Every structure is written in C-alpha cells, then in structure tokens.
Amino acid sequence: MEKLTLQEQRIEFEAAKKIYERAILKFHGVDGLDVYNISVPFKRNGKRYLFGRVEHREEWARSWVRLFEETGQDEWTVVKDSMVYTLEDPYISEIGDELVMGGTHVQYQSGRYSTFFGYFFRGTDLHNLYYFTTGPNKMKDIRLVPLTDGKIGVFSRPRSTEMRGKFGSESMIGFTVIDRLEELTADVIENAPYIHGIFGEGEWGGVNQAYLLDSGKIGVIGHICYQDKDENGGEVKVYLNMAFVFDPTTRESSDLHLIGSRPCYPPGPSKAPYLADCVFSSGIVMRPDGKADLYSGIGDCQAGRITIDYPFAGNGHLV
C-alpha cells in the first residue's frame, strides 16, 4: 500500500482529530513583546516553570529566552531578575537532578546574519545554570533523553540542500548515546547515525521533546513540515505537531502520526503571512484524566495548549 503524502495525512487528521481543550497562553511582565516557541512546562521546587522566546513582533533573530512561572490557568509571569539568555526556541531535559536548557544562538558578523549554533546550559539551581557545550554549526533541534541504563540519548537534526539530494527529505533525525553530559560535543552530535524513514520527499522536521517510556522505548514529540501555496499562490510553510516511538535498542521508529495543527488552536495572528499555518511543538504534560496537554508555539508570535489523547498509547507510559 502506497504511503500517503504529508498533505494527505494532514487532510485525514483534520477530519478525525479530537481536541478536548484549547487555549492561548498569556504572559505577564513582558508587555509589548511576543512570547512563543516555549519549552515544555516543568516542575522545580514545587512550582511550574517554562522558558519562552521573547521578541518584538516586527523583529527577527533578535530574541531573548526568559524564565516564566505559572501564575494562573494558562497564565505565566516572567521571573523577576532571572537570567536573560540571547537564544531562540528554548527546550529542557532533566538528566538526574540536573536541568539542561538548550536554545539556538544566532551569530552576526558586521551586523549581518552569519550562522547559528545550539548552546547548552546545565545545573541543579534553576536560577544559576552554567553554559557547558555547543552543538554543530547550523544545527537546531538537538534533544536529550535519559535512558533506562543511566545513559543519555541524543537526537540530532542535520538539515541542508545537500540532504535533499541525498535522502529526498530536507532534514534527517539522528540518534546516538552518551554516558554522561561531559560527552555531549559537536562531533558526537554531528556523527549520530540517522534514523531512516521519518520524512518523505521534500519534508523536514525534528524532535522537540523526548520521553523515556516504561517499555524502554522513547516517545518523541516533534514537528514535521512541508511547503505549500496559499490561495494567491504565495509560499506558505506548514509546520505540524507530530509524535512517533523510537526503540533505542533496535533503532526502529514506529507509529509516526500527526497530533496537532494550526486550526486545532484558537485563532490568532502570525509573525508573517507565510507562517500562518505553523505550530512548533514544545512537548506534552500528562493530565490526571490520562489525556495529554500539548504545548506549542503558534505562528511565531504566540504559544498555545491543546488537550489530546495520549500519543504513545500501546507503547508504554511516561517514566
């Protein structure tokens, strides 16, 4: 049976989707600025936090990452005097008792965009994280996940025009294992062997948050993307929320499916017209009722939450 294109999968998803709640997140303490492409919410010392990308709507690649504390239902307030990181699109992993926060650092030369890298910070004190390593040149979506044997899984995401010629898709996802955080280097990430069969012709995407399951497998929340045209023939980037399961022993992936799209969230603006159909996954938080809250950036100017069915059903529970 021929595999459906991503556009065809999207049509099937929109017809059958079950969204139980939807909300736009409100952010306090950063008036006049957008907060989007947030990390997944996490708990520290009994409080819930997230990191968010903070930026002026009319500016590009001039953002900061700030720490926000939950102060109400879908409301978050910037933590006063918290560290300001010159990063984009923050993400977190909890490795042992340490929090690892990563983000994309864009570099300029003589006032012009030059390149970008993933920067990583770590520590046990949320308010005193230490910069400790850097990812490969021009690679985003590097994610870490603790494994059952105490080692650390590392997902990579190389993307280039050369990739398309070699693999058909614009990006690949790689996976490797390290014994401890000190081994996380650009070379290790760059050389992570690829997981084949994730993206189709012309597609790209990456891992946003990875979860160890009690089956020993890894549940992945990510994004999967393609180029489309709007009604006027203009180019549109389509970013969708997706999930799949990865077995670190056999290196096989399975059950890749869509879990969210822009229409799943409340209506709202976008930073630019070509980003109007974009959702950039943050991750899921389990609810007492067994469903999952999926957090996501929306249109590169807002962040939202939708409640969905547990995306890894049949493959184990989150550890």
Side-chain angles (χ1 to χ4, degrees), residues 187-203:
D187 283 346
V188 164
I189 299 166
E190 187 87 65
N191 292 311
Y194 297 153
I195 307 167
H196 293 272
I198 299 290
F199 302 118
E201 182 76 24
E203 299 169 7

Side-chain angles (χ1 to χ4, degrees), residues 15 23 26 57 60 72 106 115 151 224 227 272 306 308 312-313:
K26 293 180 181 177
R57 179 76 54 88
W60 198 266
V106 177
T115 187
K151 296 183 178 181
I224 187 166
Q227 294 274 11
I306 57 175
I308 61 173
F312 309 124

Side-chain angles (χ1 to χ4, degrees), residues 145-201:
V145 58
L147 302 177
T148 50
D149 56 6
K151 296 183 178 181
I152 303 165
V154 180
F155 288 97
S156 67
R157 204 295 302 270
R159 180 185 179 188
S160 67
T161 53
E162 291 76 20
M163 284 269 156
R164 187 165 191 155
K166 196 170 182 180
F167 300 104
S169 56
E170 287 190 24
S171 70
M172 295 289 285
I173 291 175
F175 180 80
T176 192
V177 176
I178 57 177
D179 290 332
R180 54 191 186 278
L181 285 173
E182 287 74 14
E183 295 179 2
L184 186 67
T185 65
D187 283 346
V188 164
I189 299 166
E190 187 87 65
N191 292 311
Y194 297 153
I195 307 167
H196 293 272
I198 299 290
F199 302 118
E201 182 76 24

Side-chain angles (χ1 to χ4, degrees), residues 12-65:
E12 286 196 350
F13 168 77
E14 299 290 0
K17 65 189 179 188
K18 292 180 180 177
I19 308 299
Y20 301 98
E21 287 183 17
R22 65 195 78 205
I24 298 292
L25 306 189
K26 293 180 181 177
F27 292 92
H28 303 292
V30 286
D31 293 346
L33 298 165
D34 290 334
V35 181
Y36 66 104
N37 292 5
I38 57 175
S39 76
V40 70
F42 58 95
K43 283 185 179 176
R44 214 69 177 171
N45 299 322
K47 297 180 179 179
R48 290 184 88 213
Y49 296 95
L50 58 74
F51 288 100
R53 173 175 176 172
V54 181
E55 196 170 60
H56 289 282
R57 179 76 54 88
E58 66 278 9
E59 292 188 325
W60 198 266
R62 183 171 176 263
S63 64
W64 305 270
V65 164

